[in-house]
C-alpha cells in the first residue's frame, strides 16, 4: 500500500505547487457551472485510481499469474493514456490542463512501477 500513499502524495504535491504556491486554481467550466478543483477531489481521485489499479493487479495475479504484471502494466499505460482525453475538450484553461496532466502523470509514475514491483 506504500505505492497508494505515494501516488496520493504525488498528486497533492502537484496541486500544491499549482494552486497555493503559483496561485493558479484549477477550474473546469461546464456551461454556467464552475468546478474548482481543490485538494479533496485530488486526493479522492488519486486514491480511487490507486485502489482500482491494486485491485486489478490482485485479480490478474490470481487468474493469470505468469503474465499478471505484463498485462497490468499494459492496462495501466492504456488507462493513463485515456485519462488525457478530457483535456482535449472545452471548459478549462491551459494552466488547468497542465496541472491536471501533471497530476495524472505523477500518479501514473508512482503507481505503474510501484505496483508492478510488489510481490
Amino acid at each position: 500500500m506504500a505505492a497508494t500513499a505515494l501516488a496520493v502524495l504525488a498528486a497533492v504535491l502537484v496541486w500544491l505547487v499549482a494552486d497555493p504556491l503559483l496561485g493558479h486554481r484549477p477550474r473546469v467550466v461546464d456551461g454556467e457551472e464552475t468546478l474548482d478543483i481543490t485538494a479533496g477531489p485530488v486526493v479522492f481521485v488519486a486514491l480511487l485510481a490507486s485502489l482500482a489499479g491494486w485491485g486489478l493487479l490482485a485479480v490478474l495475479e490470481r487468474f493469470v499469474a505468469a503474465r499478471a504484471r505484463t498485462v497490468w502494466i499494459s492496462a495501466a499505460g492504456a488507462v493513463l493514456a485515456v485519462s488525457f482525453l478530457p483535456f482535449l475538450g472545452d471548459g478549462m484553461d491551459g494552466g488547468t490542463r497542465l496541472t491536471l496532466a501533471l497530476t495524472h502523470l505523477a500518479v501514473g509514475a508512482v503507481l505503474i512501477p510501484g505496483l508492478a514491483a510488489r510481490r
Side-chain angles (χ1 to χ4, degrees), residues 55-95:
L56 176 60
L57 181 56
V59 168
L60 289 170
E61 286 174 339
R62 179 166 174 98
F63 293 106
V64 289
R67 301 180 127 204
R69 283 180 177 69
T70 302
V71 172
W72 187 84
I73 289 170
S74 298
V79 168
L80 179 60
V82 167
S83 78
F84 285 92
L85 290 178
F87 305 144
L88 300 176
D90 295 331
M92 63 184 90
D93 61 20

Side-chain angles (χ1 to χ4, degrees), residues 1 3 5 8 19 22 26 30 35 39 44 73 75 77 83 89 97 105-106 108:
M1 286 306 223
V8 171
D19 192 342
L22 297 179
D30 184 19
L35 172 67
F44 178 77
I73 289 170
S83 78
R97 286 179 212 281
L105 286 172

